[in-house]
Amino acid sequence: MELLGYYNYWVFAIVLMVGFYAVIVRNNLIKKLLGLAIFQSAVFLMYITMDKVEGATAPIIQEGVTDQIYSNPLPQVLILTAIVVGVSTTALGLAMVVRIKEAYGSIEEDDIIAKDRKS
Amino acid sequence: MNPTEHLAALQVVVPFLAAPLIVLLKAKRLAWAATTLTSLLTFCIAIALTMGVLDGQNYQYFMGSWPAPYGIELKVDAFSAVVLLIITGASTSALIAGYHSLDKQIGAKRQPMFFAAWILALAGLAGIVVSADAFNIFVFMEISSLASYVLVAGGPDRRALPAVFKYLIFGTIGATFYLIGVGLIYMMTGTLNIEDMGVRIADVADQSPVLVAAGFITVGLALKAALFPLHIWLPNAYTFAPHIVTVFLAACATKVSLYVLFRFDFFVFQENLGGQQLHFTFFFLPLSVFAILIASAVALFERNLKRLLAWSSVAQIGYIVLGASLVSIAGLTASVLHVFNHAIAKGSLFLAVACLACHIKRLRLTDIAGCAKAMPWTMGAMVLAGLSLIGVPGTAGFISKWYLISAVLELGGATGVFLTAVIVLGSLMAVIYVWRIVEYAYFKPQGKKPAVSEAPFGILAITWIVAIGNLYFGINPELAVTLSESAASVLMGHNK
């Protein structure tokens, strides 16, 4: 069952593509941004998956314990940073949508393009 | 303790520390002065670093004194030095021009915030270049991108907003692709230091995650660098951004992504991955040819001055990538040289656009009809920079095109002739689109418009300084050529 062994990576790939699809296909700017957020979350999942070691614990060294396996803490630290980046991107994007709504009165991409053509 | 040791770190730390202080300054002129001073300081640091590199010094800096593969390493070599000079120089000259140009486009109250975003963008771009750590590059890339979205959105035209939105979506997808690639390589090698990756990846180079990573990183960075056909976010973002933001971004933003792309490809993937050299050439060579031909052709028919120049930028990215895709010392030298020379040419062109915009509201070609009579100095600088963009002998643009053509001819055979034809054809199209600007400005009668007059002295002075840079580096190319040659050998040195 080699394929099932990569269960987490399958989920990563599927979630990544779901997000990407939404970014490309959706016409509504908020939905596009949500797609982008899903797209980024998939990457977080990939990083978290790769630091998991079967039977391992948190990397805290205890006295007298020598045969313990530890998980790799670095990917979690990295992804913490990436989550912050993702949140700020989404926040900035939403702020842009608010301003687009104020300027155009719509957040549908087609409407915005049509209004630009007219002016 | 030798203070020059810390220059690599200071290049990033100085603007980062300045950013929150600039937010606190309420008066717009004070904020402007603080920003310009900080930018000038980073420019001086970049010059000091470049002089050190020319003397053969290698700047390596370990953050917190943690040794290289474990801690975060900053590194400045000849390639980084060239890009640092461009970033800080473009930022400084754009800011000086901003003294006159910015008031029309951004309200006094918003200016301190705008300048803080500017200095963050500068810090992020400089950070990408000095960092030798793949994940740090991602973080700096996002800092500079987020800040530049804010900068572009500052424009008064509402069309800036959808343009920024598109820029944000594409930029984030590109950066996330890069992040996926870095994750996959980390999974296989257990390191984030780019040079260490290059050593360790040799053992696992035939495994599929590494190949997938190479694909993700290459495409993600090509997207950020606006390589044809991934360029569609660029023309509108450049067109509707405030004029001095266009100067800054056009001179360096896409080039920094190219810098990361080359660094990754030449340090980590080339030679380690089977047939990577061939894949690299076959992927980038056709795209760069299309970029040169199609983007120049679009520029021929463009009616908005800024968008015309933006399309020309897409074409110039093509020349830069064409040089690198040959994977030879001569090709890379031409590539780095064109990064430098194009930054000067396009920087001075957009500075001249900012001069024009001091008195002309909209920037369609018909709007600038006959303006050369009233603004002889502005148009003079624009023509000079335009000649450099075309690659007329005696200007900087000629030097890099000359090197590019000799690199292409080194290939020999039909490919060499074909690529030379492409470069010549691209330059001919540049002659036509630059001529269109000249024709409108000099030979069309001025319509019924309010009288225009010459731009203020400050902005004109800086435009002319940069424009004369085109001449200077066209006549004395030694500095740029020496730097580019050692940058090329740094990149190829890891290839052996």
Side-chain angles (χ1 to χ4, degrees):
Chain A
M1 282 270 100
E2 184 129 316
L3 284 181
L4 279 181
Y6 291 119
Y7 174 72
N8 272 29
Y9 294 102
W10 284 110
V11 175
F12 152 67
I14 292 166
V15 174
L16 188 78
M17 284 305 120
V18 167
F20 201 36
Y21 179 81
V23 174
I24 295 170
V25 172
R26 289 294 150 210
N27 199 14
N28 184 304
L29 297 185
I30 300 251
K31 287 183 181 164
K32 255 185 200 300
L33 270 181
L34 286 182
L36 199 67
I38 296 171
F39 179 71
Q40 290 179 306
S41 316
V43 183
F44 307 160
L45 187 64
M46 185 193 86
Y47 270 76
I48 297 303
T49 302
M50 75 182 168
D51 77 342
K52 170 73 183 163
V53 180
E54 198 119 346
T57 63
I60 301 164
I61 295 174
Q62 288 169 291
E63 252 178 78
V65 181
T66 50
D67 58 343
Q68 186 60 54
I69 312 169
Y70 299 113
S71 280
N72 185 353
L74 190 64
Q76 303 194 3
V77 178
L78 297 182
I79 225 53
L80 203 57
T81 316
I83 288 172
V84 174
V85 169
V87 168
S88 27
T89 310
T90 313
L92 185 63
L94 287 173
M96 290 300 161
V97 175
V98 170
R99 282 195 58 196
I100 288 175
K101 169 81 180 168
E102 284 169 3
Y104 287 87
S106 168
I107 54 166
E108 299 289 328
E109 208 175 20
D110 290 349
D111 291 351
I112 295 167
I113 295 171
K115 282 186 179 168
D116 270 346
R117 284 248 164 79
K118 258 187 246 160
S119 64
Chain B
M1 181 80 83
N2 185 358
T4 56
E5 272 174 31
H6 299 281
L7 282 179
L10 285 174
Q11 183 81 80
V12 187
V13 172
V14 168
F16 258 129
L17 289 182
L21 297 178
I22 289 165
V23 177
L24 297 178
L25 298 173
K26 286 279 180 280
K28 61 173 188 179
R29 289 298 182 223
L30 209 59
W32 172 82
T35 314
T36 311
L37 266 181
T38 315
S39 178
L40 196 63
L41 193 59
T42 56
F43 187 42
C44 295
I45 295 173
I47 290 175
L49 281 170
T50 311
M51 296 211 309
V53 167
L54 282 175
D55 285 343
Q57 201 171 343
N58 213 351
Y59 292 94
Q60 244 182 333
Y61 189 86
F62 302 114
M63 286 312 252
S65 298
W66 290 89
Y70 309 107
I72 290 162
E73 184 193 1
L74 304 183
K75 200 168 181 205
V76 177
D77 52 30
F79 190 21
S80 351
V82 178
V83 183
L84 280 177
L85 271 185
I86 296 170
I87 296 169
T88 52
S91 159
T92 311
S93 42
L95 279 169
I96 295 173
Y99 185 82
H100 293 296
S101 161
L102 206 57
D103 283 349
K104 291 214 163 161
Q105 296 192 295
I106 292 179
K109 272 191 192 155
R110 283 162 62 214
Q111 280 196 18
M113 296 303 227
F114 174 87
F115 284 125
W118 181 291
I119 216 77
L120 278 178
L122 173 65
L125 290 170
I128 296 172
V129 179
V130 296
S131 178
D133 179 284
F135 192 80
N136 260 37
I137 289 178
F138 165 75
V139 175
F140 281 127
M141 200 149 54
E142 285 302 81
I143 290 173
S144 68
S145 304
L146 287 171
S148 49
Y149 305 147
V150 175
L151 293 181
V152 175
D157 193 323
R158 70 171 183 178
R159 282 172 295 179
L161 297 169
V164 173
F165 193 80
K166 201 180 225 176
Y167 186 15
L168 183 138
I169 297 275
F170 278 87
T172 310
I173 290 174
T176 309
F177 271 21
Y178 174 77
L179 185 64
I180 295 172
V182 170
L184 288 170
I185 294 182
Y186 178 71
M187 202 150 86
M188 301 310 289
T189 62
T191 183
L192 286 170
N193 186 297
I194 290 184
E195 278 185 51
D196 200 30
M197 271 180 189
V199 177
R200 293 202 198 185
I201 210 168
D203 300 332
V204 288
D206 53 340
Q207 301 207 12
S208 47
V210 175
L211 299 178
V212 176
F216 269 118
I217 289 177
T218 309
V219 174
L221 290 172
L223 185 56
K224 292 218 83 141
L227 177 64
F228 184 89
L230 304 169
H231 63 279
I232 46 172
W233 57 266
L234 185 141
N236 272 352
Y238 280 15
T239 309
F240 299 119
H243 305 303
I244 62 162
V245 174
T246 314
V247 175
F248 183 32
L249 293 185
C252 58
T254 53
K255 275 141 203 144
V256 170
S257 302
L258 284 178
Y259 166 87
V260 182
L261 178 64
F262 295 163
R263 185 146 280 232
F264 236 103
D265 253 299
F266 284 92
F267 275 31
V268 182
F269 297 135
Q270 301 276 2
E271 291 286 306
N272 284 325
L273 268 59
Q276 169 69 12
Q277 198 167 324
L278 222 61
H279 288 305
F280 188 75
T281 309
F282 277 112
F283 183 67
F284 280 118
L285 194 72
L287 290 187
S288 57
V289 169
F290 284 131
I292 295 171
L293 295 180
I294 296 178
S296 306
V298 174
L300 290 183
F301 299 101
E302 192 50 64
R303 277 179 304 213
N304 180 306
L305 179 57
K306 273 179 95 179
R307 201 184 275 124
L308 186 154
L309 293 175
W311 277 104
S312 147
S313 277
V314 177
Q316 305 299 321
I317 301 276
Y319 290 111
I320 296 168
V321 174
L322 175 64
S325 72
L326 304 175
V327 196
S328 65
I329 289 269
L332 276 170
T333 308
S335 197
V336 180
L337 204 54
H338 201 58
V339 166
F340 184 78
N341 291 342
H342 172 245
I344 305 180
K346 209 30 91 46
S348 43
L349 275 170
F350 275 120
L351 277 171
V353 169
C355 291
L356 283 177
C358 284
H359 294 295
I360 299 171
K361 203 161 164 249
R362 295 182 70 179
L363 285 169
R364 291 167 307 186
L365 286 178
T366 44
D367 293 320
I368 64 163
C371 70
K373 243 178 225 152
M375 311 174 88
W377 288 98
T378 304
M379 282 315 296
M382 189 172 271
V383 170
L384 184 55
L387 291 178
S388 177
L389 189 68
I390 296 165
V392 174
T395 58
F398 172 71
I399 307 290
S400 43
K401 288 228 169 111
W402 177 260
Y403 270 79
L404 194 57
I405 288 182
S406 22
V408 163
L409 284 176
E410 240 178 48
L411 289 177
T415 337
V417 175
F418 170 71
L419 291 177
T420 314
V422 168
I423 296 169
V424 172
L425 196 61
S427 307
L428 285 178
M429 288 200 259
V431 173
I432 300 174
Y433 61 68
V434 171
W435 173 253
R436 286 182 65 212
I437 303 174
V438 173
E439 188 188 353
Y440 272 100
Y442 282 89
F443 300 110
K444 294 264 164 141
Q446 197 170 2
K448 279 184 231 152
K449 285 199 198 74
V452 292
S453 55
E454 193 53 276
F457 176 74
I459 185 167
L460 260 187
I462 191 72
T463 308
W464 267 95
I465 290 173
V466 182
I468 286 173
N470 282 306
L471 275 184
Y472 177 81
F473 287 107
I475 296 163
N476 299 308
E478 287 88 6
L479 173 73
V481 171
T482 320
L483 272 174
S484 308
E485 272 172 352
S486 47
S489 58
V490 165
L491 286 174
M492 294 297 283
H494 279 256
N495 218 3
K496 283 176 197 120

